[in-house]
Amino acid sequence: MIKALIFDLDGTLIQTEVLKATSYAQAIQQLTDHAVGEQQVLDVFGKFVGLSREKVVEGLYREFQSELELHLGSQDSDHIKEHIINRRLSIYDKILKDEVLLSKHFCPFTLKLLHKAHSEKLQIVLATMSHLPQTTRMTTILGIADKLDLILTRDDVDKGKPDPEIYLKAKNALQLGSDECLVIEDSVNGIKAGLSAGMQVFAVTNNVTRHSVHSCNLLDDAYIVDTLEDLSSRVFGFIQAET
């Protein structure tokens, strides 16, 4: 019997993956004096969706290592990655202050599912690879802070997704079994984390993740939702069948 729904945040409740990708792309473009174009970064960002900040930066550093080393005058990888993080956070913080922009990136059908689950007295968990300050800002803007029974962020775990640590920590905190938790994710790395924790996962796709979610062959099509208007009915159909 499902007793808790565990939601990812970025790309699941709000389409911040696009905004995050843009902030990384602009940061690398600026650090390389436009030798690397914004679109070049956006073109490769899909492979890093759902990963922790550290892994995203590591991946982007390897993709554009030569240009970054040339324009920053350094071959110290830690030094370069620190520059990427600092520049990207500066750009992203400005984005997070633009509530009008953020409101245009809400995921209404996933939010509808969250509110319905809350009304049905299911426990609601947020399990995200974002850090706590950004997560707190997002939950406030989304208006869901009072609906959440538990929030877990990258700051609460040693290993990021696709490692299952954050999902295992969630079920242990709620004192539930894996079969009593249902995960709502949007990325391949998130799906891997949920499945590795022994939980059923529903994937909500978007333009950034749709191809990778289908091609990874981790989920049966019954658990991949491309038409998000159907999300609540499919998830609650599953919950009722399990009950």
Side-chain angles (χ1 to χ4, degrees), residues 44-81:
V44 302
F45 193 82
K47 68 179 74 174
F48 307 121
V49 171
L51 295 178
S52 65
R53 178 191 299 166
E54 294 78 10
K55 289 187 177 180
V56 172
V57 172
E58 175 67 28
L60 291 175
Y61 163 72
R62 293 192 181 280
E63 289 281 346
F64 304 107
Q65 182 176 350
S66 59
E67 291 291 352
L68 286 163
E69 289 179 351
L70 175 64
H71 287 85
L72 290 174
S74 172
Q75 293 185 333
D76 184 332
S77 62
D78 290 337
H79 174 75
I80 293 172
K81 285 184 277 189

Side-chain angles (χ1 to χ4, degrees), residues 136-224:
T136 301
R137 173 74 173 160
M138 288 299 181
T139 56
T140 300
I141 291 171
L142 288 165
I144 60 172
D146 62 337
K147 304 293 191 300
L148 302 173
D149 296 285
L150 176 66
I151 296 175
L152 294 174
T153 72
R154 183 65 181 89
D155 303 309
D156 296 306
V157 293
D158 294 321
K159 298 178 181 178
K161 301 174 187 177
D163 189 275
E165 181 183 0
I166 197 165
Y167 286 118
L168 294 173
K169 192 163 188 174
K171 71 148 188 168
N172 290 337
L174 297 177
Q175 297 184 316
L176 295 176
S178 293
D179 60 341
E180 296 175 302
C181 301
L182 179 62
V183 171
I184 311 296
E185 272 281 1
D186 76 299
S187 71
V188 172
N189 289 303
I191 294 168
K192 287 179 179 178
L195 293 177
S196 295
M199 301 174 183
Q200 181 57 59
V201 179
F202 270 83
V204 291
T205 68
N206 54 55
N207 291 337
V208 176
T209 62
R210 187 166 295 117
H211 174 73
S212 59
V213 166
H214 280 279
S215 62
C216 72
N217 295 318
L218 291 171
L219 293 175
D220 186 274
D221 284 346
Y223 301 105
I224 301 175

